Structure formats: C-alpha cells, structure tokens
Amino acid sequence: MVQYEATKVEPEMSVLEMLDVLNEKLISQGEEPIAFDSDCREGICGTCGMMINGIAHGPQRGTTVCQLQIRNFRDGDPLRLEPWQDRAFPVIKDVVVNRASLDRIIQAGGFISAQTGSVPEANSVQVPKTNADQAMDAAACIGCGACVAACPNGSASLFTAAKISHLALMPQGQPERSRRVISMVADMDQEGFGNCTMHRECEAVCPKEISVRFIVQMNREYLRASFKEREIIIPAIAQPSAAGV
Ligand code: SF4
Ligand code: FES
C-alpha cells in the first residue's frame, strides 16, 4: 500500500476526479500516476469498480465509484482504495483488474439468435408488462463485478442470474433459453467463481441494486433446463453447479 495526500479536492468531485487531480500532481512531480479504470463516468459501463474502505464501490448504496462524490466523506478522511480481490479477476495494476471472466460467461450464452434487418414493428411481439419490468430490472446490470468482490465465496451468481433472467423473460430469448442457462452456469463454474450460499452481500453492494430474487430465478431456470435438455445436462451435472442445483 502507498499513501498519498490528495489536495485541491472539492466536495462535488467524484472519487475518480479526485484521482485525476492527484495523478496530475504525481505526474508533475515526476512520479508514476495511480492506475484506475473508467469509461462512461456516469454509472453505466461498469469499468470503474474498486474497494473503498473495504466496501465495493464505497459507502454510498446504489452508486458506482465514478458517481461517488467526495462530499460523502469528511475532510481529512483516509480512503483505502483496493482492487477487486478474486481469483477470477487477476490484478493488472493498482486498482485495475481483468474482468474478462465475466465477458466469457456472456459469450457462453448471453445472446439471442434473431433475424437481422430492419427494426420490427413495435407491437408485433407482445410482452406482458410484469415481464418487461422485470427484464428491465435485470438488464440494469453493468457487469462491474462488485457482486463477486463482495461475496465471501467469490460467486458471480448475481451477475450471471441477471443476464440469464433478462433474456428468459423476453419472447426473443426463448429459442436458446434452456441451453443458455446450462452453458452460462457451466462457464461460471469453469472460470473459478464460487457457489452462492445466499449471504446477500452482492445485493448490498450492487450499484444497480439487482435483487437476489434473480438468483432464485436462475436456479429455477437451471432445474427446468435440466429436464428439457437432458442430452446436454448429463455431462454438465457431473460437476457441482455454482447455481447450487
Ligand atoms: S449484478 Fe450488480 S454488482 Fe454484479 S456485475 Fe451486475 S451491476 Fe455489478
Ligand atoms: S466509469 Fe462507467 S460505470 Fe463508472
């Protein structure tokens, strides 16, 4: 750990803006700047995550690091910044980690096969309002990895469940529904993420406040798929599942 003194910090700055100012100072002094990740800086890309004083994304609920303002801390408070710590997220430098393991879970099944071409007429596929609302809640996941970092088991169940549930609730997600859950859960296990034992730490730190009820839905989806896709499930169940089924 290295200790820096951040000066010229305003209450309305975000933590990332504080790091920008600090890095400018370090560069002007000929020192190496602190490496951190960011892109959108408006809470939608999921790249900026880090532990702040032991809490994923810091102390403000439902907030990403890029939107966490300095006014949430007292003047002179020490901020202990650490990278996500999980074997599936190798540290690249300082607070930057490689979250490609989450991308690979998506590649395993987080997509639909649909005809390309012009946009279909909006009312041609009817979606019940409750399904649309729940799918929207699940789709809010930004893939930041805070759920993994906060979980004592290092489980990616909340992330995976959000992606599976989002597509399972929509008509467009039906053709691959069973194969998707089996494939994504199998990849989640292969990546080295732990099992979910419902500590609910993931839900507490998720900046998009994704509910653990999606993990319940993922487990139901997995059970349903195990009957529908028996020829695929038989090799898959030879290993214990992160979905806990
Ligand atoms: S479920 Fe929440 S904490 Fe986990 S990756 Fe998605 S947005 Fe981040
Ligand atoms: S920089 Fe995109 S969510 Fe923080």
Side-chain angles (χ1 to χ4, degrees):
M1 298 296 286
V2 185
Q3 196 166 332
Y4 299 101
E5 190 180 355
T7 52
K8 298 184 185 163
V9 179
E10 304 294 335
E12 61 275 10
M13 283 180 175
S14 70
V15 170
L16 296 191
E17 286 164 340
M18 177 201 72
L19 288 173
D20 288 337
V21 172
L22 177 57
N23 276 348
E24 276 175 24
K25 185 171 104 173
L26 294 174
I27 291 166
S28 70
Q29 292 171 177
E31 292 180 52
E32 197 163 343
I34 301 162
F36 64 93
D37 229 344
S38 76
D39 189 358
C40 70
R41 297 205 175 197
E42 52 185 15
I44 55 173
C45 75
T47 59
C48 61
M50 65 182 88
M51 305 296 283
I52 300 179
N53 294 346
I55 304 171
H57 285 295
Q60 184 82 354
R61 279 207 162 208
T63 307
T64 54
V65 172
C66 58
Q67 299 211 295
L68 179 64
Q69 290 173 309
I70 292 299
R71 63 168 171 250
N72 290 293
F73 304 93
R74 282 174 307 188
D75 195 14
D77 271 356
L79 300 191
R80 189 180 171 93
L81 310 183
E82 294 170 272
W84 292 161
Q85 288 179 35
D86 189 86
R87 62 184 163 176
F89 293 158
V91 175
I92 296 173
K93 190 176 181 189
D94 298 339
V95 291
V96 181
V97 299
N98 184 344
R99 291 175 299 116
S101 48
L102 297 185
D103 296 336
R104 287 191 290 272
I105 294 176
I106 298 282
Q107 285 166 3
F111 51 81
I112 59 165
S113 58
Q115 298 279 1
T116 55
S118 58
V119 178
E121 203 281 318
N123 291 321
S124 62
V125 181
Q126 304 270 307
V127 182
K129 174 82 167 81
T130 47
N131 283 24
D133 287 348
Q134 284 180 37
M136 196 67 193
D137 288 348
C141 168
I142 55 174
C144 63
C147 45
V148 178
C151 176
N153 304 332
S155 172
S157 288
L158 193 63
F159 164 81
T160 310
K163 302 303 177 190
I164 289 169
S165 303
H166 163 212
L167 295 173
L169 284 159
M170 302 298 285
Q172 296 88 339
Q174 299 312 306
E176 297 91 3
R177 182 173 172 180
S178 299
R179 286 163 190 265
R180 175 182 303 117
V181 60
I182 290 167
S183 180
M184 290 177 76
V185 168
D187 191 78
M188 180 171 71
D189 288 343
Q190 270 169 25
E191 297 293 343
F193 293 108
N195 290 330
C196 172
T197 46
M198 274 292 164
H199 284 263
R200 302 185 72 169
E201 294 289 333
C202 52
E203 187 182 56
V205 300
C206 174
K208 297 297 152 187
E209 302 184 310
I210 306 283
S211 167
V212 290
R213 72 186 154 81
F214 288 118
I215 298 179
V216 177
Q217 178 152 357
M218 174 173 73
N219 289 341
R220 283 201 197 110
E221 287 290 321
Y222 193 88
L223 194 60
R224 175 186 172 278
S226 70
F227 289 108
K228 275 204 83 162
E229 304 278 332
R230 294 190 78 85
E231 72 280 9
I232 296 176
I233 190 70
I234 286 165
I237 59 173
Q239 301 197 352
S241 151
V245 179

